[in-house]
Amino acid sequence: MKVREAVVADAEEISIFLQELAALGKRNLPSDETYVRSHYIVHADNIRCSVVEDVDGTLLGLQILKRASAGNDYGVIPGWGIIGTHVRPGAGRRGVGRALFTATLDAARKAGLEKIDATIGSSNLEGLGYYEAIGFRTYKTNEGSVSKCFELTA
């Protein structure tokens, strides 16, 4: 596996696996290429958008790290990081999420973040388990979602 920064040309393949996740009931946000480009790859608040490639170049996962701005969609404190992770169906339990988080954590430290928020659907047991396993802890619950925080140390 290889972790690298996402590029605009990745939008089509990312869109395809996000649509697969949506069909499985594991995603409720838009999954079209335009959304992928504007909200993930080239968003104004991006710190890093990473993908993992298999040896044949197939994208196995995506992780986005943004700086929370005032009035963000998640109600995250401005200045915190906001993370999102998506793993292609069938690619789970292969270390994709951990590989992505290694690159994301490095970018978060370089950006001077102190905390990162992950807001996960409360029915997404895989996502909740993933974030808990890499050190995120619940700090807030809302109807339908759980917000977890990762605190960066110096």
Side-chain angles (χ1 to χ4, degrees):
M1 286 189 298
K2 173 185 168 186
V3 178
R4 63 171 174 79
E5 286 204 50
V7 295
V8 171
D10 294 324
E12 180 180 7
E13 188 173 356
I14 292 168
S15 174
I16 290 167
F17 80 72
L18 292 179
Q19 290 174 42
E20 292 170 2
L21 289 169
L24 294 169
K26 297 182 176 189
R27 178 179 173 78
N28 57 11
L29 293 172
S31 302
D32 58 275
E33 287 182 54
T34 300
Y35 186 88
V36 169
R37 276 191 300 276
S38 65
H39 285 76
Y40 296 158
I41 299 174
V42 295
H43 193 277
D45 294 330
N46 271 14
I47 294 172
R48 182 170 171 110
C49 180
S50 300
V51 291
V52 169
E53 292 180 323
D54 208 343
V55 293
D56 65 0
T58 300
L59 297 184
L60 301 178
L62 165 77
Q63 192 164 74
I64 308 97
L65 178 66
K66 300 176 184 178
R67 186 177 306 276
S69 57
N72 64 77
D73 292 340
Y74 299 99
V76 175
I77 296 168
W80 281 29
I82 299 174
I83 193 173
T85 307
H86 308 284
V87 176
R88 181 184 286 268
R93 314 294 298 164
R94 293 174 46 188
V96 171
R98 287 193 183 274
L100 286 165
F101 191 60
T102 297
T104 297
L105 191 54
D106 182 55
R109 287 190 171 113
K110 287 178 181 171
L113 294 181
E114 294 180 10
K115 296 183 180 186
I116 304 172
D117 168 274
T119 297
I120 308 111
S122 55
S123 63
N124 182 349
L125 300 181
E126 291 168 318
L128 292 167
Y130 163 71
Y131 283 109
E132 192 72 24
I134 60 172
F136 283 73
R137 298 297 174 253
T138 301
Y139 75 95
K140 178 174 68 171
T141 56
N142 295 306
E143 187 174 332
S145 68
V146 176
S147 294
K148 294 184 172 286
C149 176
F150 185 90
E151 294 193 37
L152 287 87
T153 54

XYZ file of all heavy atoms in Angstrom, residues 22 31 46 48 62 82 112 125:
58
model
N -22.484 4.192 0.013
C -23.853 4.690 0.152
C -24.861 3.576 -0.113
O -25.854 3.436 0.620
C -24.087 5.868 -0.783
N -22.037 11.751 -3.060
C -20.878 10.955 -3.470
C -20.442 11.230 -4.900
O -19.561 10.545 -5.415
C -21.217 9.460 -3.338
O -21.589 9.152 -2.021
N -8.903 22.694 3.645
C -8.096 21.468 3.690
C -6.718 21.708 4.294
O -6.053 22.689 3.998
C -7.879 20.906 2.279
C -8.961 19.954 1.867
O -10.006 19.872 2.489
N -8.719 19.240 0.784
N -4.986 18.406 4.615
C -4.483 17.286 3.804
C -5.660 16.398 3.412
O -6.556 16.162 4.198
C -3.458 16.463 4.575
C -2.912 15.328 3.723
C -1.721 14.647 4.352
N -1.392 13.460 3.591
C -0.307 13.324 2.841
N 0.558 14.305 2.760
N -0.080 12.212 2.193
N -9.724 6.888 1.643
C -9.591 8.340 1.589
C -9.686 8.880 3.007
O -10.501 8.400 3.800
C -10.748 8.897 0.747
C -11.051 10.388 0.824
C -10.024 11.165 0.010
C -12.455 10.657 0.291
N -10.960 18.759 11.551
C -12.121 17.899 11.280
C -11.622 16.796 10.359
O -11.021 17.070 9.323
C -13.254 18.669 10.577
C -13.758 19.816 11.447
C -14.395 17.711 10.211
C -14.781 20.715 10.747
N -0.163 22.647 13.301
C -0.313 23.211 14.632
C -1.652 22.931 15.299
O -2.040 23.633 16.236
N -20.995 1.392 13.435
C -20.169 0.726 14.438
C -18.724 0.552 13.984
O -17.803 0.665 14.795
C -20.790 -0.622 14.814
C -22.204 -0.540 15.399
C -22.720 -1.930 15.749
C -22.251 0.387 16.605
